[in-house]
Amino acid sequence: MEQHNQALHDQLCAKVMKLLDDGCSTTAIEAQLQAETNDADLIASVIKKAKKDFFRMRRHEGLVRIAIGAFIIVAGFVITCFNFHTNRSVDFAMYGLTSVGLIIIFWGLYKIIG
């Protein structure tokens, strides 16, 4: 009996993850899970676990994007310094790489905030 309950829990958790990825609200997810099972405790635990995992994955993706953007900004700064001291154009490094880095950082923040 416990194995059947765990299998149902895993199946519902996968379904909730897909629905969260599609952008469904919690009430819509609860309504869809009510069609599968009437166990309110199971539904609540599945939604809680799936949301925790979903937002953990989104936070990780966002932090990776922020790190990449910060690296690009630092690389742009270093290239700007080298180009400035060798009397070469600093436009691409200063404006191009900084802009790309900021866009990637804001994309990462969007992923984290949701």
Side-chain angles (χ1 to χ4, degrees), residues 13 16-17 20 24-26 29 45-57:
C13 193
V16 171
M17 288 290 283
L20 283 172
C24 290
S25 67
T26 304
I29 293 170
S45 70
V46 164
I47 289 175
K48 183 178 178 182
K49 182 184 182 312
K51 277 188 167 185
K52 182 180 174 184
D53 291 343
F54 178 74
F55 289 120
R56 181 181 44 79
M57 287 178 9

Side-chain angles (χ1 to χ4, degrees), residues 28-81:
I29 293 170
E30 286 177 1
Q32 288 192 11
L33 293 182
Q34 287 289 337
E36 303 262 340
T37 183
N38 291 330
D39 188 3
D41 291 336
L42 178 64
I43 291 173
S45 70
V46 164
I47 289 175
K48 183 178 178 182
K49 182 184 182 312
K51 277 188 167 185
K52 182 180 174 184
D53 291 343
F54 178 74
F55 289 120
R56 181 181 44 79
M57 287 178 9
R58 293 272 308 238
R59 187 171 42 254
H60 177 72
E61 289 176 14
L63 289 174
V64 167
R65 287 188 172 100
I66 288 172
I68 291 170
F71 177 77
I72 291 173
I73 288 175
V74 169
F77 171 74
V78 170
I79 293 170
T80 299
C81 287

